[in-house]
Every structure is written in C-alpha cells, then in structure tokens.
Amino acid sequence: MDAAGEFFFAVFSSLRFSLNLGILERPLVQGLLWGLLTGDVTQAVSVALVFELLWLDLIPAGTFIPPNPAAGNLAALALMSAFGLSGASGAVFPILIGLPLSWMAAGLERVHRAHQNAAFDTLQHWLAPERQGAYNPGLLVRRALTRSALAHFLFFLAALGGAMALAGVLLGQGLMRPAPGLFSWGQLWLGASVGGLLSLRVPRAYAVMALCALVVAVAGFLG
C-alpha cells in the first residue's frame, strides 16, 4: 500500500486543478479510499478529518494556491501503515511530518503553473495569421497533464522517502510512539477545527474560539 501512495497523490493532485470533479480531491475522500484498501476505514478517515478541517479556510482564489492536503494526508497515512502506528497518539507525529509537505506540494503547483506561460505563448503564436493550420490546443493540454502527473509522482516519491527516513530516526529516539491515550481524536479535531472557524469570517467566532482555548489551557494546567 505504501508504494501506491505516489500514484494516489498524483491522481488526487490532478483533481485539484486539472480535472475538476467536485469534492473528489478532498482529504475525506482520500481517507475513505485508503481505509477501504487497507481495511481500517475508521483510522484513515480520522486522520483525513484533521487535514480536512485544518485548511478549510484556504481555498484557491485568483492566483493563490492553497496547501495541497493530499501530500500531508497521504504521507501521514503511509507513515502510520509502514510503522504500525495506530490511534490518535500514534497519528500525531505522522501528521506533523506531513504538514510541511502540503505547502511544498503547493510550491510545486506554482512552478508548474509558471511553466504553463510557455504553453500560452505557443498558443498565441499558433493564432498568428501566418501560422494558420498549426493550431493544436489538445497537444498543450495533454502535455500539461502528463507533466503535472509525472512531477507530482516524482515529488511524492522523494518526499515520502524523506518522511520515512525522518520517521525512522524519530522512532529510534523513541519520539514517535507516545503513550496510548495521551491524545484523543477529539483533541486533534478540535485543534484542526481552527481552520473551519477561520472560514466563518466572523470576529465573534474568533473570540469564542480564543475563550474556549483559554478555558481548555487553564483546565489542563489545573488538572
């Protein structure tokens, strides 16, 4: 299953901008598919929900490219599968390792988008009166899709390899296996729900969020 992570990342990344098919690129869909293939739907969806909530506020608008949650989500799921981690406590470090990969994947998409300027120049050249007959936009589309899929596949191959190596070091130091019960899924979802609250764009909601965080912090300190 770990070896298929690169393929799934390339597919779900293509669904972000290249093949817009609704919500199929969302982390919850990724988690559901991963869980069905591995036989642990509950854990896979629980991890995916963290990434679903975390960047709910960041959506593509204009030239802004939000983090690609597929990178972090699939990396976290692959790490848990490869190292036999389970539960909320076992998911904490894989999620933390996966988070920066989502930003790096967005950077890759920005580079790919910039390279598509050359395709636009080619299209403009084809539209020149003296170039009539050379018009072939399908070639540009196929080339862009192929390059995007290949770039995402190779990126995730390298990124997941680095994540696996880092996880191995952390495990060797005893850092990736916190005590069972130290964290709960509810705590992880609550922390990630900051993204959902930010998406409301309501100052009162931010105040309630800050108050709740303060209450939880005080309760934890006193407990």
Side-chain angles (χ1 to χ4, degrees), residues 48-98:
L49 185 56
V50 174
F51 291 93
E52 185 73 48
L53 291 171
L54 187 62
W55 286 312
L56 191 63
D57 182 51
L58 300 181
I59 59 175
T63 59
F64 174 69
I65 299 178
N68 187 340
N73 188 30
L74 293 175
L77 291 172
L79 288 173
M80 294 184 70
S81 176
F83 293 102
L85 302 172
S86 62
S89 296
V92 171
F93 277 99
I95 289 174
L96 292 176
I97 292 175

Side-chain angles (χ1 to χ4, degrees), residues 137-154:
L139 174 64
L140 299 180
V141 174
R142 290 191 298 271
R143 185 181 297 168
L145 292 176
T146 301
R147 288 177 176 175
S148 176
L150 181 60
H152 281 95
F153 182 90
L154 294 177

Side-chain angles (χ1 to χ4, degrees), residues 131-175:
R131 296 287 297 181
Q132 292 299 320
Y135 186 69
N136 188 5
L139 174 64
L140 299 180
V141 174
R142 290 191 298 271
R143 185 181 297 168
L145 292 176
T146 301
R147 288 177 176 175
S148 176
L150 181 60
H152 281 95
F153 182 90
L154 294 177
F155 162 79
F156 200 64
L157 179 65
L160 187 57
M164 290 286 184
L166 176 60
V169 172
L170 293 177
L171 279 170
Q173 300 296 322
L175 296 177

Side-chain angles (χ1 to χ4, degrees), residues 1-206:
M1 187 63 200
D2 299 335
E6 293 82 2
F7 170 76
F8 283 120
F9 176 68
V11 170
F12 283 114
S13 294
S14 296
L15 293 174
R16 271 165 61 88
F17 300 116
S18 301
L19 303 171
N20 194 338
L21 300 177
I23 64 172
L24 294 183
E25 86 284 359
R26 301 305 306 169
L28 282 177
V29 178
Q30 301 161 19
L32 178 60
L33 179 59
W34 187 282
L36 290 173
L37 294 176
T38 59
D40 194 344
V41 174
T42 300
Q43 177 164 283
V45 172
S46 297
V47 172
L49 185 56
V50 174
F51 291 93
E52 185 73 48
L53 291 171
L54 187 62
W55 286 312
L56 191 63
D57 182 51
L58 300 181
I59 59 175
T63 59
F64 174 69
I65 299 178
N68 187 340
N73 188 30
L74 293 175
L77 291 172
L79 288 173
M80 294 184 70
S81 176
F83 293 102
L85 302 172
S86 62
S89 296
V92 171
F93 277 99
I95 289 174
L96 292 176
I97 292 175
L99 287 177
L101 300 184
S102 294
W103 286 104
M104 294 168 63
L108 174 64
E109 290 171 334
R110 282 192 291 272
V111 171
H112 180 260
R113 184 174 294 186
H115 282 184
Q116 292 309 301
N117 291 334
F120 178 77
D121 293 339
T122 299
L123 184 61
Q124 290 289 90
H125 184 62
W126 282 344
L127 292 175
E130 65 274 11
R131 296 287 297 181
Q132 292 299 320
Y135 186 69
N136 188 5
L139 174 64
L140 299 180
V141 174
R142 290 191 298 271
R143 185 181 297 168
L145 292 176
T146 301
R147 288 177 176 175
S148 176
L150 181 60
H152 281 95
F153 182 90
L154 294 177
F155 162 79
F156 200 64
L157 179 65
L160 187 57
M164 290 286 184
L166 176 60
V169 172
L170 293 177
L171 279 170
Q173 300 296 322
L175 296 177
M176 277 193 65
R177 296 187 186 274
L182 184 61
F183 297 96
S184 68
W185 288 117
Q187 290 174 321
L188 298 186
W189 297 335
L190 181 62
S193 64
V194 171
L197 290 172
L198 291 176
S199 68
L200 298 176
R201 302 292 196 275
V202 178
R204 187 174 298 176
Y206 301 159

